[in-house]
Every structure is written in C-alpha cells, then in structure tokens.
Amino acid sequence: MACPVQFICRSIRTVGLVLLYYVFSIGITFYNKWLMKGFHYPLFMTLVHLTANFCLSALTRRAMQCWTGKPRVILSWKDYLHKVAPTAIATALDIGLSNWSFLFITISLYTMTKSTAVLFILFFSLVFKLEEPNPFLILVVLLISCGLFMFTFESTQFNLEGFIMVLLASFIGGIRWTLTQVLMQKAELGLQNPIDAIYHLQPLMFLGLFPLFLYNEGLSLSTSDKLFRVTELSPLLYSLLTLSIGGSLAFGLGFSEFLLVSRTSSLTLSISGIFKEVCTLLLAASLMGDKMSALNWLGFAVCVCGISLHVGLKTYYSKNKGPSLRQLNSKSPELELPLLQQNGDNREDSAADDYNDEDEEQEITHH
C-alpha cells in the first residue's frame, strides 16, 4: 500500500503547488489591470514591486542562512556589473513594458500577445546556441504566429499602442530568459537558487527602469494627489497598501514557480502555464467583459497548439540527453528549500531530473 499512498501524496502535492502558482500568476495579472484603472503610473508601480521583491528575497535569504548555517552567495562588483547587469536591464524592461500596456489593452489581448515570447526565446536560444536547430521549430513558429494573427484580426478591443508595447516586451523577454538561463548555468556565480538570483537582480532592475520612470511619469506623479500632494493621510496609506499587495504578489509568483519546478519539473510548469492561459482568458471574458469572437478563440487554440508542440519537442529531446551542468548543479542540497526538505525524500519524480534543462520554458507562464 506504500506505493499508492506515495503516488496519492505526490499528486496532491503537485495539484496544490499548481493551484498556488495559479493564484499568484492569475492574481497579479488581474490585480495590476484593476490597479491601473485608478492609478495610471505603471512604471512607478513596477519600481515598488522591485523594492518589495528585494526586501522579501533578502529576508528569505536570511532565513535560509539561519536554517542551513551556511552564508549565502554575494557577487563581486565586477561579476555583478558585467554578468548580471544585462539580464537585469532586460528583465526590468520586459516587466515595465508589460505593466505599462495594461493602460491600453485588455487582459485577453495581453495574455495572447505575451504568449508569443516563446518565438523570441527560440530565436535567441538559437543565436546563443542554447537550442539545436530543428525543422519542427518552423511549424511551432507558424502555429503561434498564425494564432496571434487570427486572435487580433478584426478585434473590437484592439489597441495598437498597447499591442506594440506587449510585443516589444515579448521580444525583450526572449533576451531576458535566454540571458537568465545563461546566468543561472554559470556555476562559478552560484546563482542557481532563484532566491539568490532575485536578490541580486532587483537593485540593477530598479536602476535600469528608474530613468524611464523619471522621463515618463516623474513630473506627473510628483504633482498627483495619489501620493505626493495628498491632503489626507488615508488616501496615501491606501495607495501604499495597494502597491505593496502587488509587490507581494510579484514575489509570490516567482516563489511559487520555484516551488513548482523544484518539487516537480519544468515540464509541469510549462503545461500548467498553457492551462493558465485558458483560465485567464475565460476569467477575462466573464469578469472583465473582454469580447472575443469565434475567430479569436480559434486563433488562441492554434497558438496553444504551437506552444504545446514546443513543450512536447523539448520533452522528447531532453529524454535523449545526458545530465547537463544545470542538472548536476540542481541536485546540490544547497538548492533545496529548507521548508520542503523531508527525510527519505529523494525526489521520486524522475521527471525533475529529465526536464531540468527545460527551465527556459518558464517564460511561457510569466506575466
């Protein structure tokens, strides 16, 4: 009876982690869209999120250090500026433009357009030689491109400015996740643990996005009654509270993704991301009143087929590979979350070992 019990326990754990990931991922998408209706400063909101992420990751690192008794990695200034800065700048622009687009477009158009990030990730993976050329990749590109065209064709809620912002964010996202994969595979840096990566990325992301914030929102925010020209304390506290909640959701999203990958596999995260897109569109249609025609839904289905084909191909080819540097590093006890360490738990899910080199797939699920 031990085997069925273990299977049931693993299944319950996996479902619980997927649901936790859905709560944060879908939650932050709808929360940011709701917040943008009354707070038209998306770049400032992103800066607050980055600050919250840095503080929460610092607290998490401190807790992990107290638990394990081992000091956490701290990069030298040379490595920090030369090797981390490009990833941080690309990440900041990706997130900033994504949040900015909520001022112009619906959640459904955002979700669909953001899904095309896999195209740019494929492109940059080929450029950086992280992905081997494959004729099936042409089919993946065609399916996702055709799906996006069908989804936006004659859309009654289409906004060109917002669409270009998300498309540009997806392009930068391709650079972001390719650089992130390279960064976390450099064993000498010691950033294999995403909590350490978050901690080191946030300050440079803040500095990279701050000039754009000053240029676009600095003057208007300084004269706004939302923060700096409030006449009563309660509106200021309300603004700070709503922004802080978004920052907590942003950190929870990254943390839940780490939990899901570390306890199951990247494949689970990728497949969960596909179904998350469906859930997001259904919720956007029912809760936010997003209008989608039959052609739009067909385009979404075609795009999902393209993403599913890509995930399937990654699964097939990863089974025929030997352990990569990333896989060997991922088995270090230092990378395990203290709260999830269990006696006798040797990760029965062999898929976690087979699919760890698929971490670049996480971009499918990011907002």
Side-chain angles (χ1 to χ4, degrees):
M1 294 297 294
C3 290
V5 171
Q6 289 180 354
F7 175 78
I8 293 174
C9 291
R10 289 199 304 269
S11 300
I12 294 175
R13 182 184 64 185
T14 300
V15 171
L17 292 174
V18 169
L19 291 178
L20 181 66
Y21 161 67
Y22 278 12
V23 167
F24 284 112
S25 183
I26 298 177
I28 194 172
T29 300
F30 282 87
Y31 187 83
N32 286 345
K33 179 63 177 179
W34 168 80
L35 187 60
M36 288 298 97
K37 291 182 178 180
F39 189 85
H40 299 161
Y41 304 99
L43 298 180
F44 179 77
M45 178 190 74
T46 305
L47 293 178
V48 174
H49 290 182
L50 297 179
T51 304
N53 278 347
F54 177 76
C55 295
L56 292 173
S57 62
L59 290 175
T60 304
R61 274 166 52 95
R62 183 64 178 175
M64 295 171 69
Q65 181 173 326
C66 293
W67 183 278
T68 61
K70 299 179 181 179
R72 307 305 304 174
V73 61
I74 298 179
L75 298 182
S76 65
W77 281 106
K78 181 180 180 181
D79 288 338
Y80 191 53
L81 295 177
H82 286 85
K83 298 179 180 179
V84 178
T87 305
I89 300 300
T91 304
L93 292 176
D94 178 15
I95 297 176
L97 287 171
S98 297
N99 289 336
W100 197 351
S101 69
F102 278 125
L103 291 176
F104 308 100
I105 63 174
T106 61
I107 289 179
S108 56
L109 180 58
Y110 166 84
T111 301
M112 182 64 185
T113 309
K114 195 67 175 172
S115 299
T116 61
V118 67
L119 297 180
F120 301 109
I121 290 168
L122 282 174
F123 172 75
F124 287 109
S125 294
L126 292 173
V127 170
F128 286 91
K129 297 182 179 179
L130 299 175
E131 187 98 21
E132 297 179 0
N134 188 299
F136 287 104
L137 295 181
I138 300 177
L139 181 58
V140 171
V141 171
L142 288 176
L143 285 173
I144 297 177
S145 302
C146 292
L148 179 63
F149 175 78
M150 294 168 65
F151 188 87
T152 56
F153 184 73
E154 294 185 353
S155 175
T156 57
Q157 296 175 304
F158 180 79
N159 181 282
L160 181 61
E161 186 175 2
F163 176 74
I164 292 176
M165 282 186 180
V166 183
L167 205 57
L168 182 58
S170 296
F171 175 80
I172 298 175
I175 304 175
R176 166 195 177 183
W177 288 109
T178 304
L179 292 177
T180 299
Q181 182 188 356
V182 174
L183 180 68
M184 297 184 70
Q185 285 182 343
K186 291 181 178 178
E188 68 273 12
L189 293 180
L191 296 183
Q192 289 85 359
N193 191 311
I195 299 298
D196 293 324
I198 291 174
Y199 174 81
H200 284 86
L201 284 171
Q202 305 310 300
L204 286 176
M205 290 171 61
F206 187 99
L207 294 176
L209 196 61
F210 192 74
L212 184 60
F213 155 73
L214 286 180
Y215 175 78
N216 189 69
E217 299 177 0
L219 181 60
S220 59
L221 182 63
S222 63
T223 58
S224 171
D225 57 0
K226 294 291 184 181
L227 286 176
F228 297 108
R229 295 189 63 186
V230 294
T231 55
E232 298 181 3
L233 183 60
S234 56
L236 176 62
L237 294 177
Y238 177 77
S239 297
L240 293 177
L241 177 62
T242 53
L243 291 171
S244 299
I245 292 175
S248 300
L249 289 174
F251 180 78
L253 173 59
F255 195 70
S256 63
E257 288 174 339
F258 176 40
L259 287 178
L260 186 57
V261 172
S262 64
R263 305 312 298 172
T264 58
S265 69
S266 313
L267 177 65
T268 304
L269 179 62
S270 300
I271 296 176
S272 301
I274 296 174
F275 286 101
K276 187 211 70 175
E277 309 269 320
V278 178
C279 295
T280 301
L281 289 184
L282 291 175
L283 289 173
S286 59
L287 298 180
M288 308 297 290
D290 290 8
K291 299 177 181 179
M292 296 176 58
S293 64
L295 181 62
N296 298 150
W297 280 110
L298 180 59
F300 174 72
V302 172
C303 187
V304 168
C305 289
I307 297 174
S308 302
L309 176 61
H310 179 57
V311 174
L313 290 173
K314 293 292 296 181
T315 304
Y316 174 78
Y317 286 109
S318 65
K319 285 184 177 180
N320 299 324
K321 290 182 180 180
S324 63
L325 173 63
R326 177 65 176 275
Q327 289 174 300
L328 295 175
N329 288 333
S330 68
K331 296 178 183 179
S332 170
E334 181 66 16
L335 302 184
E336 293 288 344
L337 285 176
L339 296 179
L340 293 178
Q341 287 180 337
Q342 301 175 7
N343 293 331
D345 185 354
N346 59 355
R347 273 195 193 180
E348 293 101 348
D349 296 324
S350 59
D353 294 330
D354 289 335
Y355 304 134
N356 271 341
D357 61 351
E358 288 182 26
D359 282 350
E360 66 270 25
E361 293 294 347
Q362 297 180 22
E363 76 283 345
I364 297 176
T365 66
H366 274 270
H367 77 289

